[in-house]
Amino acid sequence: LSDNTELEQSQKRSIYPTVLYTEFAGNKINFIDTPGVDDFCGGVFSAYKVCDTAAMVFNANAGYEVGSEIQERYAAMAKKPVIGIVNQLDKENASWEHSIETIKASSTVKPIVVQYPVNPGLGFDAIVDVLTMKMYKAKDENGNVEVLDIPASEADRVEEYHGELLEAAAENDEKLMEKYFETNELSADEIRQGLRLGVANRGFMPIFCASAKKSFGLKRILEFIINVCPNPKEAAAMTDVDGKAVVADQNAPTSIFVFKSTVEQHVGEVSYFRVVTGKLAEGQELVNPRNGNKEKISQIFAAAGKNRVKVSEMVAGDIGCTVKLKA
């Protein structure tokens, strides 16, 4: 779906940044899948201009790589919060310990473990979540899981990680810190509250586990994005050419930012944009500030790779595309 061009499919890797979305638990989440290869890291930089959070994917065989450093440097320049996902934990030489050690040694944002794998490697099918304090066991390869109590054999390990998570959550909120010192415990909602502040100010990077190939671990990541990562209203505002903050207010006058253009056979030029303020409606006329000319937005699409769903309106914070702009 993402690597949909002939070149990407022949090379078996992402070369261009691709807009995707999913609807989950009553929310629409926009993604831009960026190239992991260092040679095409410009696609990462353009994505940071319109995304609110960076989800850094680490290969469990390699851990923190040169590409990770480049992506994180761009995240720092763009002042974007980051979450980490250790993927491919189902591979033969997958090493959770090596991955975490290299992230701790190299990342400029402190990693905090939210999940860890019980059995990384070819038989990988269980994750312990130290926020919900449950174990998730894969039931199939479609992302369905069984939610279980944490086994006694994991008691020491989970206690250590849970303690680190509590401390990280508490240090971002004075009231949470007081409660933590008094009771040595916080509820799951209080942990999320503390994490929300810590993630937003780039105080730490929550770490998750996944096998994308088996769709395992992805639902919990999506839940975390919805519950903890900043939504467009909460995220750092985009800035105009004068450096002035432009807040994602859907009641403000309409403005959009075009961050990518492509040319497709039988379609022509496709312009990808983020609605920065207001509401963008089909047939609306906007002014191009570079030349003062008017542009009519004839059609609006929600994009997932080459799949496009026609919509009549988009609001501030949303990402979509349109066709046949004059300039």
Side-chain angles (χ1 to χ4, degrees), residues 283-296:
Q284 191 170 355
E285 270 195 346
L286 299 177
V287 175
N288 183 336
R290 287 190 173 178
N291 52 28
N293 294 341
K294 286 185 177 179
E295 289 273 14
K296 187 172 184 179

Side-chain angles (χ1 to χ4, degrees), residues 52-53 80-83 112 114 131 165 168-173 176 186-206 208 223-231 233-236:
D52 296 318
T53 303
K80 301 295 181 184
V82 290
I83 65 172
I112 293 292
V114 176
L131 196 163
L165 186 68
E171 70 185 29
N172 290 285
D173 187 300
L176 292 181
L186 297 172
S187 70
D189 283 341
E190 287 170 332
I191 294 171
R192 289 188 188 98
Q193 180 186 331
L195 292 179
R196 193 175 293 119
L197 296 168
V199 169
N201 65 24
R202 290 176 42 83
F204 47 74
M205 178 201 309
F208 293 85
E223 287 171 359
F224 189 87
I225 288 170
I226 292 166
N227 292 328
V228 175
C229 293
N231 64 45
K233 282 186 178 179
E234 299 165 340

Side-chain angles (χ1 to χ4, degrees), residues 8-10 31 53 58 60 75 85 87 93 99 157-158 169 173 201 204 228 235 266 268 289 292-293 297:
E8 287 174 313
Q9 288 174 358
S10 68
F31 295 91
T53 303
F58 303 100
I85 303 164
N87 186 34
N93 297 317
S99 298
R157 199 177 181 197
V158 77
D173 187 300
N201 65 24
F204 47 74
V228 175
H266 311 304
N293 294 341
I297 310 295

Side-chain angles (χ1 to χ4, degrees), residues 4-5 16-19 258-265 267-272 305-306 308 321-325:
N4 57 71
T5 66
Y16 310 105
T18 304
V19 177
V258 176
F259 64 93
K260 175 187 172 182
S261 295
T262 62
V263 177
E264 289 185 17
Q265 198 174 3
V267 177
E269 189 172 277
V270 182
S271 302
Y272 292 85
K306 278 195 173 177
R308 287 189 275 272
C321 67
T322 188
V323 293
K324 298 174 181 172
L325 293 184

